Structure formats: structure tokens, C-alpha cells
Amino acid sequence: MKTAFSLTMVLACGVALAQHAPDQPASYGWSMPVTVPAGAGVARLPLPKEVYLHARTGNLADVRLFDRTGQRLPFAVSTPAAQSNTERSSIAARIFPVKGASTSGGLQNVEVRTSPDGRLLSVNASSAAAHSTLSLQALILDLGQRAGDQRIAALRFTPPPGLGDYSAQVLLEASDDLKHWDAIGTTTLNWLRNSDTQTLANDSIDFAPRALRYARLSWQEGAPVVFAAIAAQAVSQTEQAVPRATIALQAAPGKVAGEWVYATPLAIPADRIALQLPQPNMVLPVTLGVYRQSAYVALRRLSLHQQTRPAQGAYFEPLLSTSFYRISDGGKERVSGELAMPVVQTTQWVLRPQNEQTTLPATAPTLRLGWTPETLVFLASGKGPYQLVFGKADAAQAALPLAQVAPGYSAAELQSLPLASVGLLTARAGVAGAHTAAADQGPPWRLLALWAALLLGVAVLGFFAWRLLSQMKQEQTPP
């Protein structure tokens, strides 16, 4: 009993020693040097494609960052979000004074001329009001045609020369046709000068960005003036696409006649899929799916797909049915594009014809997968240079919550973090590839520790067996 207990304790210690070994770069199959901009305390690193091709876990649990001394850097995994780039420009408005009798009210009794393209040419008092006492009533502004999605967000006013202290409340209106006007808002414009010729000014009116061709400025309080210049602030927003990654996979004959299979790196979170057909003028209705492992094959699947079970405990699960095509038409080629789908992570894609009438081409088509790479946000601590390592099947998740790596950072601040870069991919010594048995087993010293524990247990067991035999012989020997 004591012998069995001692052996159990020895074996348990050996296994615990092997399992709780310290994390170090040599335990991983692949590495890439990481360069961080000088002075960066927190940096971000979009994961390169090589990580997804050689990682041994589906959730990237085997990704690490180490410094020169082998200390692990704290990092978080972040999904990049779409961004918009805002561009601002200034447009000089063309100013047309509106003069009329004090009771005329706005554009009454004025004549407006425009060119065929909408350009405002003149605003004059009508012949009916020509002999009346005319005074400045409003200003009509022509801001010109806008390009693309450009919008106007503000107007800035320059006072006429020699204007002293000035204050007035103005109403701004907008129009597309110089006939119908919509109020945008009101503001108080003022310029206050002191004895040192310093000026305190409120010289602009801001509003929500909008398409704006013509504007009308009228006075609710204060004396109307013709401003020396009025500049419109134009803004345009351009959506910046999130960086994407793609991979092209070549086919191999499948387990069942009439199908192709595509070996796929496990870590790729594919959300788009496409098929590149080998020849023109081809329409190929196919079903794409994966093999699942199970103790049985559901009768419903057998009745629906009428497929022979290719291996014990495996069944085909269809994920997408569609038609891919490549057609030449009038010197131009029409090609089916990428199809969006829920994220799928698998080690193998399977392509089958949709029906018996569909025959797969003799030359296998190329399967293309697309995905959005994750971004590492990490503390640039320790001693550089740094290295990114991956490729270890039994690695535990090491990523931290983002709040523990970059506490208090806003989304905009995270997007503007210094960008780290990676160098060339390097395989560790003795590692032929990410899927070798050596990589599965981990570093040699862990195996040595386990074997040492097992040998020690055998030795202890032999020692106790020898003692037991000796005692039994002594008891059998007559006195």
C-alpha cells in the first residue's frame, strides 16, 4: 500500500512539473521580430497573415509577445472597427446683396438670373421697385456645386474695412432653387475692439453638415452690412475599410467520389468565401461544407443529402449552397464575387456538386477565404527587441482584458496608438512546420522531466519490491 502511494506521488509530481513549466519563446514553433516606434508606451500590432497560417489554436491562444530577456509582455486582442476620415476645406462664397424697400421683405421685388448650370449671375431690384428708396435687406450666397458627399458645416464672416464695434442677430436660410427657403438657424455676430486694436469676435455660424447650394442671410436685429468675405467650411467623410486578409487554397480529392477538399489553417476566422473557376463560360452550382465528428449520422441528414458515410463517426454538414460562375460576354468577363457568411473556423472545407446533373471540372477550382485580422494592443515594457511567437497546440490563453492593458483609453485613442511592425517569419530550430509532431509535444526538457519522473517511479517500485522479497525470504527461512 505504501509502495503504491509513493509511486503515485512521484508520478503526480513529475506530471505537475511538466505541465506547469514556465512560458518561454523556445516553446513555440514560429517567431517574428517586432519593432515598436520610439517612445511608445502602448502600441498596436495588426496580426500578420503568418500568424493565422501557423497558429495551432482556433482562438489564437498560442500567440505571445516576449522581450529580449524572455519576459512576456501584457497584451489584449482587439477587433478593428471601421473608421471614417473627415476632410475639411474652405470655399469662398459669392455674395449678392439684396436691396429693396424697407417693406419689401426678403426677395420680393427682385430679379434673379442664373446660368443653365445653376450658377447665380445677378440679383437686382425689379423695375417696379427701381424708383423706391432701396436699402440693404439681405445677402444671397452662391456656394457652388458640391463634389461627392461634401457638406457645408459652417459660415465664417469677414467684416468690411473700417467697421468698428458691431453686433447683429442674423437668420440663415438654405435653398436649392432660390424659390423655397428653409431656416437653418440664427446667431449673433459681433466684433468688439479695445484701445489696443485687439478684437473680440463671434464671426461664424455653425450647423449640422448639410448639402447647401444657395444661402440667404437676413437681419433680425442690427444694421445690415455687406461683408468683405464669407467662407463656407466644407466637410467630407470617407469610410476607411478595415484591413482584410485572404488566402487561396488548392484542392485535393475528397473522401467521397465527386467532391473536393481544401485543407485550411484552423485559426482563420473566415467570413467571406469565393471560388475561382479554372476555365471561362462555366456555371458551377455547388454546396460547401465541413465534416463533423459524431458517434452517429442523423437519419435526417442521410435522407436529405443521400451521401455515403465516408468514415466512422464523420458526417458532412452543408454550410453554403450557391452557384459560382465565370462567363465571357462581349469581350468582358463576368465573375462571381465573394460571398459573406457567418464566421467559420475549420481544418477542411468540402466542395460538392449541388445535384447529380452537376459535374465538377477536371481541374479543381481554387477556394479563396477572407477574414478580418485581429489587432494586438500591448505594453511596450521590458527590454527590446521584442518578438511575436506562435505555434503551440497546448498553449493556454494569455490575452488580458483591454482595460488591463490600456486603461482609460478611448476608442479614438486606441485607433491612434503607435503602430508596431513585424519582420520575417522564422521557424524554431528542429521545427519543420507548424503541424509537426515535435511541435505538438512541446520543448524537449518537458519530455525529459516526464521521463525522469516515470523512471524514478519505476526505480522506487523496484526498490520496494526488492525489500518485500527480502522480507518474505527471511520469514520463510527456518530459525
Side-chain angles (χ1 to χ4, degrees):
M1 192 72 180
K2 292 182 178 180
T3 301
F5 176 76
S6 301
L7 179 59
T8 302
M9 292 299 297
V10 171
L11 293 177
C13 292
V15 173
L17 178 64
Q19 290 180 344
H20 293 85
D23 207 6
Q24 57 183 356
S27 304
Y28 298 84
W30 303 89
S31 69
M32 302 179 78
V34 177
T35 302
V36 179
V42 181
R44 59 189 175 99
L45 174 65
L47 285 178
K49 181 190 292 187
E50 289 82 355
V51 172
Y52 290 91
L53 299 184
H54 300 291
R56 299 299 313 280
T57 57
N59 60 352
L60 301 178
D62 57 329
V63 173
R64 300 287 190 275
L65 278 167
F66 289 100
D67 74 349
R68 175 163 48 90
T69 65
Q71 294 296 317
R72 199 165 69 191
L73 303 183
F75 71 91
V77 179
S78 175
T79 302
Q83 291 181 288
S84 59
N85 183 35
T86 302
E87 297 181 357
R88 301 180 182 275
S89 59
S90 182
I91 300 173
R94 300 174 61 240
I95 304 173
F96 294 85
V98 178
K99 293 185 178 181
S102 58
T103 59
S104 62
L107 283 181
Q108 295 179 4
N109 301 320
V110 295
E111 295 178 350
V112 178
R113 292 195 308 117
T114 59
S115 64
D117 62 358
R119 186 171 183 267
L120 187 56
L121 299 177
S122 65
V123 178
N124 299 314
S126 64
S127 56
H131 302 291
S132 305
T133 301
L134 303 180
S135 60
L136 182 63
Q137 298 295 312
L139 299 177
I140 299 295
L141 311 179
D142 184 357
L143 305 179
Q145 293 182 344
R146 302 277 67 78
D149 62 347
Q150 199 175 51
R151 300 291 186 267
I152 304 299
L155 295 179
R156 184 173 297 276
F157 302 87
T158 301
L163 182 69
D165 292 348
Y166 180 80
S167 179
Q169 187 177 38
V170 296
L171 169 66
L172 183 64
E173 299 169 283
S175 176
D176 294 328
D177 57 7
L178 293 170
K179 296 178 182 179
H180 305 90
W181 296 88
D182 298 322
I184 295 179
T186 61
T187 192
T188 298
L189 302 176
N190 52 56
W191 287 266
L192 302 175
R193 293 179 173 84
N194 60 17
S195 57
D196 297 329
T197 67
Q198 294 177 337
T199 302
L200 180 64
N202 178 28
D203 59 356
S204 63
I205 179 171
D206 300 293
F207 44 88
R210 58 175 294 166
L212 183 59
R213 175 62 194 268
Y214 306 108
R216 180 170 69 183
L217 193 72
S218 56
W219 278 258
Q220 296 180 317
E221 294 181 5
V225 296
V226 178
F227 294 100
I230 300 177
Q233 184 183 72
V235 296
S236 59
Q237 289 187 335
T238 304
E239 292 293 329
Q240 293 180 334
V242 175
R244 300 275 299 172
T246 60
I247 185 174
L249 304 176
Q250 303 303 320
K255 301 176 182 180
V256 175
E259 74 175 13
W260 295 103
V261 296
Y262 300 82
T264 310
L266 173 63
I268 292 179
D271 58 8
R272 288 187 177 273
I273 194 167
L275 203 64
Q276 181 178 329
L277 300 179
Q279 62 191 43
N281 297 331
M282 177 183 296
V283 178
L284 190 61
V286 297
T287 296
L288 288 161
V290 297
Y291 279 123
R292 301 293 190 193
Q293 296 298 322
S294 177
Y296 63 93
V297 179
L299 294 177
R300 179 175 180 272
R301 294 187 184 278
L302 288 176
S303 62
L304 286 176
H305 305 294
Q306 299 296 322
Q307 295 293 343
T308 303
R309 188 173 177 176
Q312 181 67 28
Y315 64 87
F316 175 72
E317 179 179 353
L319 299 180
L320 178 68
S321 293
T322 187
S323 294
F324 294 98
Y325 57 87
R326 180 183 172 188
I327 302 174
S328 296
D329 185 8
K332 297 181 180 180
E333 195 169 62
R334 302 168 63 92
V335 181
S336 54
E338 290 185 332
L339 298 178
M341 64 180 181
V343 172
V344 176
Q345 287 184 269
T346 181
T347 57
Q348 188 182 76
W349 276 93
V350 181
L351 183 148
R352 290 180 173 181
Q354 275 192 23
N355 47 61
E356 296 179 356
Q357 290 74 30
T358 302
T359 302
L360 294 181
T363 302
T366 299
L367 187 70
R368 294 188 178 275
L369 301 177
W371 72 96
T372 301
E374 301 278 9
T375 296
L376 295 189
V377 178
F378 65 96
L379 286 173
S381 56
K383 299 179 180 180
Y386 306 121
Q387 58 179 325
L388 176 70
V389 300
F390 44 92
K392 183 182 177 185
D394 59 348
Q397 184 64 256
L400 299 172
L402 191 58
Q404 295 182 16
V405 178
Y409 281 68
S410 66
E413 289 174 325
L414 291 173
Q415 292 292 343
S416 61
L417 286 174
L419 195 63
S421 59
V422 295
L424 296 177
L425 177 68
T426 302
R428 293 288 178 184
V431 179
H435 297 280
T436 60
D440 286 340
Q441 295 171 353
W445 72 269
R446 293 181 62 187
L447 292 177
L448 292 176
L450 183 58
W451 276 108
L454 293 174
L455 292 176
L456 180 59
V458 173
V460 171
L461 180 61
F463 172 74
F464 281 106
W466 173 78
R467 288 196 59 182
L468 181 60
L469 290 175
S470 299
Q471 291 177 1
M472 291 176 63
K473 287 181 180 180
Q474 291 177 359
E475 292 176 355
Q476 294 175 358
T477 303

